[in-house]
Amino acid sequence: MSATPQKNRASRRVLAAAAGLATVGALVAAMPAGAQDRQGHGNGHGHGHGHHKGRTVDVQLLSFNDLHGNLEPPAGSAGTVTETQPDGTTKAIPAGGVEYLASSLRTARKGHPYSITAAGGDMVGASPLLSGLFHDEPTIEALNKIDLDVTTVGNHEFDEGATELARLQNGGCHPDEGCYEKGKEFGGADFPYLAANVTNEKSGKPILKPYTVWKKNGVKIGFIGVTLEGTPNIVTANGVKGLKFHDEVETINKYARELNRQGVKSIVALIHEGGAPASTSYNYDCDSSGPGDGISGPITEIAKGITPKVDALVTGHTHQAYVCTIPDPAGNPRMVTSASSFGKLYTDTTLTYDRRTKDIVRTSVKSAGAKNPKSANHIVSRDQPKANDMTALIARWNALAAPIANKPQGYIGADINGRGSTALEKPLGDLIADAQLEGLAPADKGGAVVAFMNPGGIRADLVHKASGAEGDGVVTYGESFTVQPFTNMMNVVDLTGAQLVTALQQQVSGSNEASPKILQISKGLTYTLDMTKSGADRVVTDTIKLNGEAIDPAKTYRVAMNEFLAGGGDGFAALGEGTNKLVGASDLDMFNAYLAAHSTADAPLAPPAADRITVIQ
């Protein structure tokens, strides 16, 4: 999902001095654009119609997306999936954690000699401290052990720039912080990262492999990987410097033709862009045809434009769960899947490969007469045995992180929901905005009178229940880092009242009209949001007040926000027009300072009321 990208990780402050990003040239030199063949996992015996010489072979495609370095089970409501029960009620089921994801995938592969595991991007970035502190090396190591075959890049793979992405692919110790374990050099990813629609501005060539071909016993399946074309709008300028992002449909169609010329007729597209199903339940029937049913969002138009040469789409980015059939341009059924986020679900899809045509025999999600669906999402249950190698990996990295991660920062009296909240105004969003305003209100710190926080930058909930030995209600550095992992620098800028109003309107109009991005606001700012209206009219302008006074369009206000918003990120062009900029401390430092100043063990922080925005639905 779109989020505050990071420029300087907390680890750079804790473990080493920050350094500038290197040039993209290093990545291009390291990563040839050609395809790479992948040999399949399994025992080498075909199945499907009896044995490997049968006409068709069933190939299992296991997929997931948007892991974001969540090696340990995500805490609170962000670590649950919604399941619709037979009686129509819904139930929240705890899920996720790589110990369970590894077990789920290994169990699913049993009895499937032709099995491929693929991912839809954002494997790293916006990660909890256990992975983020070490520039996501622990996550790459875990994915190697899980036997991931291929992934596309997502927008978060660019959080630290193209050169750091090349290091995650190729290995080598961090240029500033070195090797984290004595005598051990980071080996990089065993699987290819694909980036077909990301090119070097100067050379015009893809910065990573555009596609890869999986082969086993004569079965060949091509994978093309793209991220959303709008990646530069949701990543800091440094992260995408020297790169160009191209149209998803045109790019996939181009490489599908190239694969066909090589004799590869079975193709899966890995697309880091997604949609929103009509229900948030993972087991919702996305192909039901009632009014308002189905799926909406960018992936629907992308799917309709992708050549029929592509047989299935594995998607991501929106953190939603769906298994849908969207017809291709020839009118034939084609599966489009997404497995929520944070390793809470995986998708199991059967691709029936025809040895004579070398193509996939296409059916809808629920093929006629079949007892089982051709594709379905499955919960990564925490009731199953843990994968021992993942438990050991987590323990090893936790031991390295512990001196930093376990430091108490403050105290809370109950859960303060952020990522797990479905409300437009989130209690944790109010808390973060208040922390930013307080830190930047003094005249010598910027003189801010209001603060804005982008919702995508809130990556978790603050959970009251202890995650370790710290005790209930204690917020550790690891937990606050997990909420705000980007370590963006805070900015204070001059904006006119008119620009402020425009910024609020941009939450629900322009590029944000279809999927609103509601800014979290500091205390003192109030207004009404009428979601029954459309576009900018959803913001009821004559209700906008700061400390009880109407916003004066001609007056100048000092406004605090992170550097991502100050650069106009997430479609907030008006916020990018600020002048007289002052750069403050990082968002994480301000958050921790606020927790320390406003809470004690005897007087913990209560969740904010989240009553600043009046919402009419």
Side-chain angles (χ1 to χ4, degrees), residues 296-385:
S296 59
I299 199 62
T300 57
E301 290 309 306
I302 290 171
K304 288 171 189 171
I306 289 174
T307 173
K309 291 180 172 67
V310 174
D311 299 293
L313 313 181
V314 171
T315 73
H317 188 55
T318 57
H319 291 204
Q320 301 294 311
Y322 49 83
V323 175
C324 302
T325 307
I326 300 177
D328 70 16
N332 297 316
R334 183 165 58 192
M335 268 173 278
V336 180
T337 70
S338 174
S340 184
S341 63
F342 301 169
K344 294 182 287 189
L345 296 176
Y346 71 93
T347 314
D348 190 336
T349 301
T350 302
L351 302 173
T352 301
Y353 182 89
D354 187 322
R355 287 185 178 276
R356 198 169 77 188
T357 64
K358 299 180 183 177
D359 208 347
I360 300 299
V361 181
R362 287 238 231 115
T363 57
S364 62
V365 170
K366 292 192 176 77
S367 53
K371 288 182 184 173
N372 299 310
K374 298 290 281 185
S375 183
N377 276 322
H378 300 276
I379 295 180
V380 175
S381 162
R382 296 184 196 167
D383 295 335
Q384 64 187 311

Side-chain angles (χ1 to χ4, degrees), residues 67 69-71 123-124 127 131 136-144:
L67 181 65
N70 278 265
L71 301 181
M123 293 296 97
V124 301
S127 305
S131 186
D136 283 312
E137 290 181 22
T139 296
I140 298 296
E141 185 185 337
L143 293 171
N144 287 344

Side-chain angles (χ1 to χ4, degrees), residues 39-166:
Q39 291 301 317
H41 302 307
N43 58 23
H45 297 294
H47 78 306
H49 290 226
H51 53 85
H52 75 275
K53 292 196 173 146
R55 166 84 185 256
T56 62
V57 177
D58 281 350
V59 178
Q60 179 188 55
L61 175 62
L62 301 174
S63 56
F64 58 98
N65 50 277
D66 295 276
L67 181 65
H68 291 288
N70 278 265
L71 301 181
E72 295 177 296
S77 53
T80 62
V81 292
T82 303
E83 181 180 73
T84 299
Q85 305 301 300
D87 65 359
T89 60
T90 58
K91 183 178 173 185
I93 299 176
V98 293
E99 294 161 298
Y100 304 110
L101 179 61
S103 290
S104 289
L105 294 174
R106 288 164 183 169
T107 301
R109 287 177 191 139
K110 286 176 183 170
H112 294 276
Y114 290 82
S115 183
I116 310 167
T117 304
D122 278 7
M123 293 296 97
V124 301
S127 305
L129 185 124
L130 176 61
S131 186
L133 191 63
F134 306 105
H135 297 272
D136 283 312
E137 290 181 22
T139 296
I140 298 296
E141 185 185 337
L143 293 171
N144 287 344
K145 289 177 184 290
I146 281 174
D147 286 328
L148 182 64
D149 285 297
V150 58
T151 184
T152 183
V153 293
N155 52 291
H156 282 282
E157 265 80 17
F158 295 93
D159 282 350
E160 291 194 62
T163 307
E164 174 62 7
L165 173 56

Side-chain angles (χ1 to χ4, degrees), residues 200-517:
N200 177 282
E201 269 182 350
K202 288 179 181 165
S203 71
K205 292 180 179 173
I207 63 161
L208 292 166
K209 295 175 177 66
Y211 58 83
T212 188
V213 179
W214 182 94
K215 295 178 179 179
K216 184 168 182 177
N217 294 344
V219 174
K220 291 193 287 189
I221 299 179
F223 288 84
I224 303 167
V226 298
T227 185
L228 68 152
E229 186 182 6
T231 291
N233 303 326
I234 52 176
V235 175
T236 48
N238 270 347
V240 294
K241 194 173 181 182
L243 305 178
K244 195 162 183 196
F245 292 77
H246 301 268
D247 180 84
E248 305 94 338
V249 174
E250 288 173 16
T251 303
I252 291 168
N253 291 351
K254 169 186 165 184
Y255 286 110
R257 288 193 297 272
E258 189 170 312
L259 282 165
N260 270 198
R261 284 196 296 271
Q262 296 174 17
V264 179
K265 307 291 185 187
S266 298
I267 302 171
V268 176
L270 308 175
I271 308 172
H272 192 71
E273 177 62 291
S279 166
T280 55
S281 290
Y282 86 94
N283 57 340
Y284 164 66
D285 179 4
C286 199
D287 286 350
S288 53
S289 56
D293 275 343
I295 185 171
S296 59
I299 199 62
T300 57
E301 290 309 306
I302 290 171
K304 288 171 189 171
I306 289 174
T307 173
K309 291 180 172 67
V310 174
D311 299 293
L313 313 181
V314 171
T315 73
H317 188 55
T318 57
H319 291 204
Q320 301 294 311
Y322 49 83
V323 175
C324 302
T325 307
I326 300 177
D328 70 16
N332 297 316
R334 183 165 58 192
M335 268 173 278
V336 180
T337 70
S338 174
S340 184
S341 63
F342 301 169
K344 294 182 287 189
L345 296 176
Y346 71 93
T347 314
D348 190 336
T349 301
T350 302
L351 302 173
T352 301
Y353 182 89
D354 187 322
R355 287 185 178 276
R356 198 169 77 188
T357 64
K358 299 180 183 177
D359 208 347
I360 300 299
V361 181
R362 287 238 231 115
T363 57
S364 62
V365 170
K366 292 192 176 77
S367 53
K371 288 182 184 173
N372 299 310
K374 298 290 281 185
S375 183
N377 276 322
H378 300 276
I379 295 180
V380 175
S381 162
R382 296 184 196 167
D383 295 335
Q384 64 187 311
K386 297 177 180 181
N388 292 334
D389 57 340
M390 294 296 152
T391 304
L393 181 149
I394 288 168
R396 202 178 90 238
W397 288 102
N398 260 333
L400 289 171
I404 297 156
N406 297 339
K407 268 189 177 167
Q409 303 299 312
Y411 304 85
I412 56 173
D415 286 0
I416 304 180
N417 286 340
R419 192 77 188 177
S421 168
T422 56
L424 297 179
E425 181 184 355
K426 305 170 193 306
L428 190 50
D430 285 1
L431 182 65
I432 291 168
D434 287 351
Q436 294 175 353
L437 176 61
E438 182 169 296
L440 297 168
D444 62 336
K445 303 288 186 192
V449 295
V450 65
F452 291 133
M453 174 65 193
N454 58 310
I458 306 166
R459 304 305 301 183
D461 302 333
L462 276 186
V463 179
H464 185 262
K465 185 175 168 56
S467 59
E470 77 275 12
D472 290 350
V474 179
V475 180
T476 65
Y477 185 86
E479 289 165 340
S480 63
F481 182 100
T482 299
V483 168
Q484 292 221 274
F486 299 105
T487 322
N488 264 311
M489 305 313 291
M490 290 302 301
N491 289 182
V492 185
V493 297
D494 283 348
L495 287 171
T496 65
Q499 288 169 320
L500 273 182
V501 171
T502 300
L504 292 174
Q505 291 171 329
Q506 286 169 346
Q507 300 176 109
V508 288
S509 63
S511 61
N512 293 330
E513 179 160 7
S515 182
K517 291 189 175 77

Side-chain angles (χ1 to χ4, degrees), residues 6-22 132-135 158-161 163-165 167 174-177 180 236 238-239 404 477 481 485-487 563 588:
Q6 72 190 42
K7 188 165 149 193
N8 303 304
R9 292 254 189 190
S11 54
R12 293 183 181 175
R13 284 182 173 64
V14 174
L15 301 177
L21 290 163
L133 191 63
F134 306 105
H135 297 272
F158 295 93
D159 282 350
E160 291 194 62
T163 307
E164 174 62 7
L165 173 56
R167 188 182 76 87
H174 193 271
D176 305 324
E177 294 166 19
Y180 295 115
T236 48
N238 270 347
I404 297 156
Y477 185 86
F481 182 100
F486 299 105
T487 322
E563 60 188 328
L588 180 62

